[in-house]
Amino acid sequence: MSSVSAVAPPYPPARQALADILPLSLAVVPWGLLCGSLALQAGLTPWQAQCLSLLVFAGAAQLAAIGLISGGVGAPGPILSSTAIVSARHLLYSAVLRQDVREQPLRWRLGLAFLLTDELFVVVQAYRQRHGRVHRGYALAAGLTFYLIWNLATLAGIVLGQSVAGLERFGFDFAIAAIFLAMVVPQVTSSAALAATLTSALVAVACHLLAVPLGLLIASVAGMAVGYGSSRPATEGATT
Amino acid sequence: MMMWTLLAAMALVTFGFRFAFFAGFVTLTPGPRLQRLLSFSAPCVLTAMATPIAVAPHGALWLTPDSPYLVGGGVAVVLAGLRCSLLWVVVLSLTTFGGLRWLTLMP
């Protein structure tokens, strides 16, 4: 075999993108359904609920906000700070992919940034491992597919409305747990990362059981603090 | 109106983070300390969302081997730890979950 960078993609990038992103897209369908139906129950109009997915396009941030609103928190301060903490990981994705899009025209950078999700980041990084570089058409096709399916799932959640309310009774909520766990485990490559994720897990479960508001926020920050505190600056070269 | 303002602000926050380093005019990279802190952000947020579903799916701890959530989640963690592809981890853990759920729901 020749060097990695010389290997041509076996499929047209768009087709491969579809194959790579589809399983991840389908796994978030229940999450999208919940986002749509819960937004209505929190008091958003159907069009606002759809715009949440169309414009914000960040499942975790959307659900955190919906949870706060339906819990009676209407003030923008707590809601926006939860959005910021939950979305902070995108700063890192943006920094990691910067070198790949630096040469692209502004409209490509705008478009790909808008579509940058956990799932897109994962498939793009996997593509880079296979082919030694990132293909913009591949990233765009994968991102658009994910965007489309996420919004269709939200729409379905809005249309089905109340009847999806008991979705967790059917166990669909497990799909998102499975996909998040599958994404996290390969990232746990150091004892600091292990300490960080274990802390987040414990705090999250405790907050969940005690119905602590902003539990997701508290658990995330606690884990990040433990990870930061228990990692050494010397290990900085080994970023994931 | 309030809700629309909030929605727009949320969209600005998420897009701002995603575009931050694509913009081109930010030439500096985040410092090593900030990078170190951010590197824990994704695994911590994702873990904080996934774990309560796996161990306390209906608001109460469910840690016995007949919990499809616990066993399915365990399968996901083990397979992902064995470096299985994301597709297989998702398919096999969902199958485990569905199968166990079907078994335990049988009268």
Side-chain angles (χ1 to χ4, degrees):
Chain A
M1 289 308 249
S2 51
S3 74
V4 175
S5 54
V7 177
Y11 309 110
R15 243 177 75 190
Q16 199 189 338
L18 215 65
D20 291 344
I21 201 77
L22 262 183
L24 298 182
S25 310
L26 296 180
V28 298
V29 162
W31 212 233
L33 283 169
L34 271 180
C35 257
S37 91
L38 290 180
L40 289 194
Q41 287 165 49
L44 276 72
T45 65
W47 179 231
Q48 285 169 340
Q50 188 68 57
C51 280
L52 205 54
S53 283
L54 282 169
L55 302 176
V56 180
F57 186 43
Q62 287 175 228
L63 279 171
I66 292 169
L68 285 174
I69 294 170
S70 51
V73 179
I79 294 174
L80 287 177
S81 57
S82 96
T83 306
I85 289 284
V86 171
S87 307
R89 62 194 191 280
H90 293 117
L91 269 177
L92 187 73
Y93 300 162
S94 181
V96 169
L97 296 179
R98 181 180 60 159
Q99 84 248 23
D100 302 299
V101 300
R102 208 177 36 197
E103 310 286 316
Q104 299 298 334
L106 180 64
R107 61 176 197 281
W108 276 88
R109 283 181 281 137
L110 284 168
L112 291 179
F114 182 75
L115 295 171
L116 185 53
T117 55
D118 297 305
E119 289 79 3
L120 183 63
F121 182 74
V122 166
V123 297
V124 162
Q125 289 293 86
Y127 186 92
R128 188 214 303 284
Q129 282 198 343
R130 290 197 302 271
H131 303 296
R133 68 193 180 89
V134 173
H135 190 290
R136 69 178 186 180
Y138 174 90
L140 185 69
L144 278 178
T145 306
F146 192 79
Y147 183 71
L148 188 71
I149 294 182
W150 175 250
N151 275 286
L152 287 176
T154 307
L155 179 63
I158 293 169
V159 171
L160 296 173
Q162 297 289 343
S163 54
V164 192
L167 197 65
E168 58 271 22
R169 273 203 301 269
F170 298 100
F172 289 154
D173 50 345
F174 176 74
I176 201 72
I179 193 168
F180 282 178
L181 289 172
M183 280 163 47
V184 166
V185 172
Q187 297 181 32
V188 181
T189 51
S190 64
S191 55
L194 185 64
T197 46
L198 286 180
T199 304
S200 278
L202 282 174
V203 176
V205 172
C207 289
H208 181 63
L209 293 175
L210 300 172
V212 176
L214 297 180
L216 178 60
L217 213 77
I218 297 168
S220 307
V221 172
M224 286 167 70
V226 166
Y228 182 80
S230 58
S231 61
R232 301 238 180 98
T235 60
E236 267 157 21
T239 47
T240 46
Chain B
M1 197 56 231
M2 174 72 187
M3 187 61 76
W4 284 111
T5 317
L6 183 63
L7 239 146
M10 282 180 68
L12 272 180
V13 170
T14 51
F15 180 76
F17 283 175
R18 289 164 171 167
F19 191 60
F21 293 100
F22 286 15
F25 40 75
V26 183
T27 45
L28 58 135
T29 19
R33 280 158 175 272
L34 184 60
Q35 266 194 37
R36 191 146 62 93
L37 185 67
L38 284 178
S39 72
F40 295 106
S41 151
C44 285
V45 175
L46 298 177
T47 306
M49 287 192 288
T51 322
I53 299 174
V55 304
H58 303 126
L61 282 180
W62 188 6
L63 295 174
T64 48
D66 63 340
S67 163
Y69 292 89
L70 184 69
V71 177
V75 167
V77 170
V78 169
L79 290 179
L82 294 172
R83 296 289 183 271
C84 287
S85 82
L86 207 53
L87 172 62
W88 281 110
V89 177
V90 171
V91 166
L92 289 176
S93 64
L94 284 181
T95 311
T96 307
F97 174 84
L100 193 55
R101 201 180 154 72
W102 182 72
L103 278 176
T104 51
L105 284 183
M106 281 203 307

